[in-house]
Amino acid sequence: MKEKKYITTPIYYVNDVPHIGHAYTTIIADTLARFRRLQGYDTFFMTGTDEHGQKIEQAALVRNKTPQEYADEISGKFRSLWDEFEISYDHFIRTTDADHKLTVQNAFEKMQKNGDIYKGEYEGFYCVSCETFFTQTQLVDEECCPDCGRKTSIVKEESYFFKLSKYQDALIKWYEENERCIMPKGKKNEVISFVKGGLKDLSITRTSFDWGIKLPASSNDPKHVMYVWLDALLNYLTTLGYTRGDDKMEFWQDTTHIVGKDILRFHAIYWPAFLMSLNLPLPKHVAAHGWWTRDGEKMSKSKGNVVNPHEVASAYGLENFRYFLLREVPFGQDGDFSQKALIERINSELGNGLGNLLSRIIGMSSKYSEYKINSMQTAKFYEAELNEAHEYLKNAIENLENFATNRYLEEIWKVVALANGAVAKYEPWAMIKAGKSEEANTLVALCANLLAKIAVILSPAMPHTCDKIAQALGFEISTEIYNKIILQNELLNFIAKPTQPLFPRIETELMARPSEPEAALKEEPKDGCDESIITIDDFKKIVIKVGTVLECEKVEGSDKLLKFQIDLGEEKPRQILSGIAKFYDLSTLVGRQVCVLANLKERTMMKKYVSQGMILSAEDGSLSLLSTDAKVKNGSIVG
Ligand code: MSP
């Protein structure tokens, strides 16, 4: 029977549409899953959405939707993006699925039976955006979240606790005995020192909101819902049919979780402790990647610079985007997205390197041997090159197994350079001129074999590109071929075919940059913590008025801006442009009262629209318009 491997992405919060960070995690996991299948493992790969908790409840409320309606909408967006990206998931879980509720309640009961859950009162701080509890000493500045910098709220409520402290020693033992359980190493060391610093028991239920899974009926405590991280982590078991006693649970024996560095603590500390309490084996690997910025800046909705993966893939090609993400950053470190860097990699490494190699081979084989490539003499004449390539390919595999996707690709590109270098060095055209056509064919066969090996080993990262290469050389990528030409270093004969260039050159940036006026709509929120102090006189300079939206329409050429006519109790309504199109349904805005910064200097946006003020809103990961508690006269001053 084939060995089993289980690969997971985190499940994505539905308070936000997919962005480059989500695409990155998913593409790494997809590459790994495809690689495991290529190696012949029975592989199960899952992704999905995390739909409960206070953050989602609030995001739905802002949009006048029920949490379920809202979750359905955004979960659908994730799923369709992954389908568009041909992510090879075997299961897409939603934490609102009925079987997941059973898993969570069942796990709660088991942990309780194991003596790991007790009832008490939680008093401390909570960051809704990170869905994390903090003690006062962990906070930064004045009561701000140490992870995201946003203001935390004080929570005092009855809660069930999980005895996390009981597992401190067992966790340390696990880290020490399993070198690659947390990766990369630097991140593992951070986890170890955090745990050695002492673990407190973890609050695992909430009572101040509803949007979550209730405790099992046996607890007879209906006011509690599960803490969203307990709920979310257990998704990895639901997917394998934990409560159904499914034989898919066999995949659990070899589990790899791909996560971002921000959620490593949950996966490397809480999760293994929960699993120990459930008497289940611990994951083989928890691998944490870094974060992306854009053009050197942190991405944020208010800056309008969030990279939309669909847009990049449509403009530059999905596989070019995959290549860039996997190649650009050392695993675990932060990376920067810029069109310039992407174009450079497409034109040089992909176009001049790989694309050029394919066209040369096809060109030479057509000229010298009517597309027939015979490898009979190749091993004899080019043993050194073949052995060198074999070493690079072994390193590529080892790097991918260690999640170092950049090094995996670097090693493959050493083979690309070796093949292109061999053409330059041995000059087959000179051989032909000198009448040594067999020698020239042998060299073409060396290059074709190197390219075939490249196509096979690169196929998890760029499946379609590699299929095209394989078709042009006349073979098919499969586990059998992987074993033969990668592991055994064997050679193939080919009958090649003419083919189109793989990577047409890109001369200019293909996506609009985050446009200045839109980007300047709002400053990055200051998280309520590091604002500079102003005097009352400064404040008096600000005029905020309440007004009613009379008209509202989309601005042509912008997917963010809306154009409003607002009655501020003045002679004429004001025209104001605001970048909230992604957060509000147009039909819900007319007739509504909003707060407007009324003495802001007029400015022209999108080169032709005058905007006479700013509509005020609050940001906490999503966006909510400010308004007054009750309807007031238009023009009323806020102060
Ligand atoms: N719902 C939790 C995960 C629960 S798993 C049991 C969550 N969701 S998330 O949608 O906020 O984030 C999911 C993943 O996206 C994380 O791995 C996170 O690191 C990644 N990214 C979010 N923004 C990112 C960047 N700017 N760059 C890279 N990845 C980032 O956390």
Side-chain angles (χ1 to χ4, degrees):
M1 218 175 51
K2 284 206 246 171
E3 230 180 279
K4 292 185 162 37
K5 300 261 178 207
Y6 183 34
I7 295 163
T8 73
T9 73
I11 47 171
Y12 302 108
Y13 282 132
V14 290
N15 69 317
D16 196 3
V17 292
H19 58 64
I20 187 174
H22 304 126
Y24 182 50
T25 318
T26 305
I27 287 169
I28 294 174
D30 182 62
T31 302
L32 208 64
R34 287 173 184 269
F35 177 56
R36 291 311 193 189
R37 292 189 196 109
L38 179 68
Q39 290 181 307
Y41 292 106
D42 190 4
T43 306
F44 198 91
F45 169 36
M46 62 76 55
T47 187
T49 43
D50 187 356
E51 306 185 6
H52 289 127
Q54 208 170 353
K55 170 152 91 170
I56 309 303
E57 192 181 67
Q58 287 180 359
L61 211 68
V62 168
R63 291 159 179 88
N64 287 328
K65 296 201 164 134
T66 64
Q68 186 65 60
E69 280 166 353
Y70 181 56
D72 289 348
E73 180 189 323
I74 307 289
S75 176
K77 293 195 174 167
F78 274 98
R79 197 172 179 145
S80 48
L81 181 70
W82 302 152
D83 289 341
E84 176 192 324
F85 275 23
E86 297 182 40
I87 299 299
S88 61
Y89 62 84
D90 298 293
H91 183 66
F92 185 100
I93 191 174
R94 300 184 54 186
T95 51
T96 48
D97 291 342
D99 56 346
H100 182 61
K101 179 172 155 194
L102 292 181
T103 302
V104 177
Q105 293 179 334
N106 184 300
F108 188 91
E109 272 174 341
K110 280 205 178 123
M111 291 171 174
Q112 216 166 17
K113 275 198 193 120
N114 209 8
D116 286 341
I117 291 181
Y118 62 92
K119 197 168 173 175
E121 189 184 52
Y122 178 79
E123 193 174 353
F125 297 83
Y126 195 76
C127 173
V128 176
S129 182
C130 300
E131 297 281 18
T132 308
F133 297 98
F134 292 105
T135 58
Q136 183 138 34
T137 52
Q138 291 174 304
L139 301 180
V140 293
D141 299 325
E142 270 180 53
E143 299 178 357
C144 285
C145 170
D147 293 339
C148 72
R150 291 185 174 87
K151 192 112 183 146
T152 57
S153 33
I154 298 175
V155 172
K156 186 171 183 215
E157 60 189 39
E158 186 184 279
S159 179
Y160 286 82
F161 286 82
F162 174 76
K163 285 188 187 165
L164 187 63
S165 54
K166 169 177 155 186
Y167 290 97
Q168 179 164 336
D169 294 342
L171 283 169
I172 290 172
K173 189 162 176 270
W174 179 54
Y175 306 139
E176 283 171 356
E177 287 177 359
N178 297 276
E179 202 196 331
R180 300 192 321 137
C181 63
I182 315 284
M183 298 180 76
K185 223 182 186 160
K187 296 267 183 284
K188 181 178 176 189
N189 292 339
E190 285 169 25
V191 169
I192 295 178
S193 57
F194 184 89
V195 175
K196 285 191 171 162
L199 291 178
K200 290 210 162 51
D201 290 348
L202 179 70
S203 167
I204 51 163
T205 67
R206 306 281 319 267
T207 52
S208 49
F209 66 94
D210 267 347
W211 182 236
I213 296 177
K214 297 271 178 213
L215 302 201
S218 58
S219 297
N220 199 15
D221 215 346
K223 65 175 185 290
H224 289 258
V225 294
M226 304 282 182
Y227 170 42
V228 66
W229 269 102
L230 173 65
D231 168 343
L233 287 161
L234 285 162
N235 92 83
Y236 300 130
L237 297 180
T238 307
T239 294
L240 297 183
Y242 176 63
T243 351
R244 293 194 304 269
D246 212 316
D247 60 7
K248 282 218 293 295
M249 272 305 283
E250 286 169 15
F251 284 96
W252 186 253
Q253 302 298 326
D254 192 326
T255 296
T256 297
H257 297 303
I258 306 291
V259 300
K261 62 178 184 179
D262 53 318
I263 56 172
L264 180 59
R265 197 185 322 149
F266 301 94
H267 284 82
I269 303 174
Y270 301 169
W271 182 226
F274 295 158
L275 288 167
M276 286 188 225
S277 177
L278 294 171
N279 286 317
L280 283 172
L282 305 191
K284 276 257 160 63
H285 312 290
V286 178
H289 65 69
W291 268 45
W292 286 88
T293 50
R294 179 177 197 163
D295 299 311
E297 282 189 62
K298 196 176 155 197
M299 289 183 288
S300 86
K301 274 186 262 178
S302 52
K303 274 191 202 154
N305 68 346
V306 176
V307 181
N308 174 343
H310 162 79
E311 215 186 308
V312 185
S314 315
Y316 290 97
L318 172 61
E319 299 210 345
N320 295 346
F321 183 39
R322 281 175 74 107
Y323 175 79
F324 176 80
L325 290 176
L326 297 170
R327 173 73 182 77
E328 183 72 4
V329 264
F331 189 76
Q333 291 182 24
D334 293 342
D336 186 53
F337 174 87
S338 73
Q339 296 192 70
K340 187 166 172 271
L342 173 60
I343 293 172
E344 239 167 64
R345 288 204 186 275
I346 295 174
N347 287 343
S348 63
E349 288 149 25
L350 293 177
N352 295 344
L354 183 58
N356 190 23
L357 178 60
L358 175 67
S359 359
R360 280 173 137 179
I361 292 169
I362 302 298
M364 291 188 294
S365 74
S366 105
K367 263 202 223 149
Y368 308 159
S369 58
E370 292 173 341
Y371 294 111
K372 290 193 191 69
I373 302 177
N374 189 315
S375 306
M376 232 161 45
Q377 303 291 325
T378 306
K380 190 165 123 203
F381 284 102
Y382 296 106
E383 197 191 348
E385 280 84 354
L386 288 168
N387 288 341
E388 189 180 337
H390 190 55
E391 282 308 304
Y392 295 145
L393 296 172
K394 277 201 294 195
N395 294 341
I397 295 171
E398 197 184 314
N399 280 309
L400 190 52
E401 283 179 341
N402 285 322
F403 312 100
T405 59
N406 64 316
R407 294 219 195 120
Y408 147 73
L409 293 172
E410 274 164 26
E411 292 294 326
I412 298 177
W413 255 256
K414 287 183 188 168
V415 186
V416 174
L418 180 70
N420 277 325
V423 177
K425 181 170 160 194
Y426 297 111
E427 299 185 335
W429 51 89
M431 294 174 178
I432 294 283
K433 243 190 183 167
K436 297 177 180 165
S437 72
E438 205 183 314
E439 281 179 28
N441 290 335
T442 304
L443 175 66
V444 175
L446 166 73
C447 296
N449 272 287
L450 294 182
L451 181 61
K453 290 170 197 280
I454 291 165
V456 171
I457 198 84
L458 180 65
S459 62
M462 304 181 77
H464 285 297
T465 305
C466 294
D467 276 345
K468 280 189 203 156
I469 297 176
Q471 269 170 28
L473 290 177
F475 77 102
E476 255 181 57
I477 297 173
S478 64
T479 302
E480 205 190 333
I481 281 287
Y482 170 82
N483 289 337
K484 197 168 159 163
I485 71 174
I486 303 290
L487 298 186
Q488 323 292 345
N489 203 12
E490 285 180 25
L491 301 181
L492 301 176
N493 296 317
F494 306 96
I495 298 181
K497 285 190 207 75
T499 180
Q500 298 294 318
L502 288 179
F503 308 102
R505 202 177 162 76
I506 296 175
E507 301 295 349
T508 51
E509 294 191 358
L510 302 174
M511 277 162 31
R513 290 197 167 215
S515 68
E516 292 301 321
E518 288 188 25
L521 271 176
K522 280 218 283 148
E523 292 297 313
E524 176 72 345
K526 292 279 196 290
D527 305 335
C529 283
D530 54 351
E531 295 151 344
S532 46
I533 302 295
I534 59 165
T535 64
I536 189 74
D537 290 331
D538 293 327
F539 181 67
K540 279 186 190 152
K541 290 184 198 154
I542 294 171
V543 180
I544 300 172
K545 289 186 182 176
V546 180
T548 301
V549 176
L550 302 177
E551 287 170 31
C552 165
E553 61 184 25
K554 287 204 155 183
V555 171
E556 211 185 306
S558 166
D559 56 355
K560 298 189 188 74
L561 284 175
L562 294 180
K563 182 155 69 73
F564 291 85
Q565 300 299 327
I566 299 182
D567 179 357
L568 286 182
E570 299 164 339
E571 240 172 61
K572 275 197 319 188
R574 296 225 199 166
Q575 172 167 293
I576 299 178
L577 272 73
S578 176
I580 62 168
K582 288 199 174 151
F583 303 97
Y584 282 91
D585 182 354
L586 277 189
S587 62
T588 64
L589 291 168
V590 175
R592 170 176 187 146
Q593 283 200 311
V594 290
C595 295
V596 171
L597 178 59
N599 61 338
L600 184 68
K601 195 173 164 209
E602 268 190 15
R603 55 190 175 149
T604 304
M605 299 174 76
M606 304 287 289
K607 298 205 173 101
K608 54 179 175 181
Y609 302 108
V610 176
S611 183
Q612 306 164 299
M614 181 196 274
I615 301 179
L616 300 179
S617 59
E619 232 229 38
D620 70 341
S622 72
L623 188 136
S624 174
L625 287 175
L626 294 192
S627 58
T628 50
D629 197 20
K631 201 163 168 94
V632 295
K633 232 170 86 194
N634 286 336
S636 301
I637 300 285
V638 177

